[in-house]
Amino acid sequence: MGLKAAIPGHRHASKGMTLLEILIALVVAGVLTGAGAMALSRFGSRNRIRAEAEKVVDTLWELRSDATTGMRNPCMDFPAPDSVRIYGDTSAIPDGYGSGDRPLGGFRFKGGVHALDISGGQGAFHAVCFETRGTMGSAGAALLLSLGLAPGDPDGKRVRLLPSTGIAKVL
């Protein structure tokens, strides 16, 4: 028999947790889970925006490559804030998407991403077309596209296409 058992009136230490201790542990776990979920969702939205910006850049590089390998006037424009149209402009001088132009595809931005602001290019849809040298043909101003989830989005990304070189990149 141990020493504690020999002392009259001495209780053994409890081996479980009280209800209050369990509740405190659950509250702490809930707060940590909520904070982790918020951080993860912000990380996810940043990745979605970056992925869509890189998709635009990749498509511009493909169009530039198509132009250097002989395709006539491959173009891209933005008919809506959440979509991109790709087409071959059949005009002698590219003038934006028209009835005789060949649709080559397009895509919609995913995950709630959309164009927050577009400047440069040509016309209301900010069309950019490439000539056979792989440089922009019809637009004299650099295309600047801002992508995000909402105006003022701190995680937004910008895509810039320089007319003199036809090189696009995510800023």
Side-chain angles (χ1 to χ4, degrees):
M1 204 181 317
L3 181 61
K4 289 184 181 177
I7 301 174
H10 185 272
R11 292 193 217 162
H12 293 282
S14 71
K15 297 188 185 230
M17 294 176 64
T18 65
L19 182 58
L20 183 59
E21 290 171 330
I22 292 172
L23 287 175
I24 290 172
L26 288 174
V27 167
V28 168
V31 168
L32 291 174
T33 301
M38 286 176 51
L40 189 59
S41 100
R42 183 173 170 105
F43 178 74
S45 69
R46 260 187 294 203
N47 281 347
R48 280 195 314 265
I49 296 167
R50 179 168 262 309
E52 294 302 319
E54 287 175 355
K55 188 174 183 178
V56 170
V57 167
D58 290 346
T59 303
L60 286 166
W61 279 100
E62 286 177 31
L63 292 175
R64 183 174 185 253
S65 176
D66 290 344
T68 58
T69 58
M71 181 185 279
R72 183 181 161 156
N73 299 330
C75 301
M76 171 191 282
D77 70 7
F78 306 89
D82 67 342
S83 63
V84 174
R85 177 173 42 206
I86 304 163
Y87 62 97
D89 196 313
T90 57
S91 307
I93 297 174
D95 58 357
Y97 188 75
S99 61
D101 294 334
R102 291 171 299 144
L104 301 174
F107 57 89
R108 285 187 152 346
F109 297 126
K110 296 177 184 170
V113 175
H114 57 277
L116 301 176
D117 186 43
I118 307 174
S119 62
Q122 178 184 16
F125 297 136
H126 303 280
V128 291
C129 298
F130 292 91
E131 296 177 340
T132 56
R133 296 182 313 273
T135 57
M136 286 176 58
S138 57
L143 175 74
L144 191 57
L145 168 68
S146 297
L147 296 174
L149 298 177
D153 186 350
D155 297 325
K157 294 291 178 193
R158 294 176 4 148
V159 173
R160 182 180 68 190
L161 174 67
L162 296 176
S164 59
T165 61
I167 295 177
K169 68 179 184 176
V170 177
L171 303 175

